[in-house]
Amino acid sequence: MANIKSAKKRILVAETRAARNKAIRSKVKTACKKVEAAIAAGDKSAAQAALLAATSEIDKAASKGVYHDNTASRKVSRLSKAVNTLA
């Protein structure tokens, strides 16, 4: 365990940020699952609505530094491609 005050603070700050990042990642995963569920059901309008919400969550996560910009773009691209393949 750390004895120096600044090291103790770093531990607390790291825990706080890890919890925040985990919550944001969880939101993104949930949004992606909703899109995938709509695709599996074959409901294009629901999939498009879910895609809009998922894209928003992914962009927020990227802007906060939880995901790298390229990772966020890749996620959005794969979801969009999946939705667009629905007939």
Side-chain angles (χ1 to χ4, degrees), residues 26 30-31 68:
S26 178
T30 302
H68 190 276

Side-chain angles (χ1 to χ4, degrees), residues 15-68:
E15 285 175 354
T16 304
R17 288 187 176 183
R20 171 180 153 268
N21 291 346
K22 189 175 181 182
I24 292 170
R25 275 199 180 95
S26 178
K27 277 186 176 180
V28 169
K29 284 181 185 177
T30 302
C32 291
K33 284 178 188 173
K34 285 181 181 176
V35 175
E36 289 160 8
I39 291 168
D43 190 355
K44 187 159 186 168
S45 61
Q48 287 174 334
L51 175 66
L52 199 64
T55 302
S56 176
E57 287 295 336
I58 292 168
D59 288 343
K60 284 179 195 172
S63 71
K64 292 177 181 178
V66 177
Y67 285 119
H68 190 276

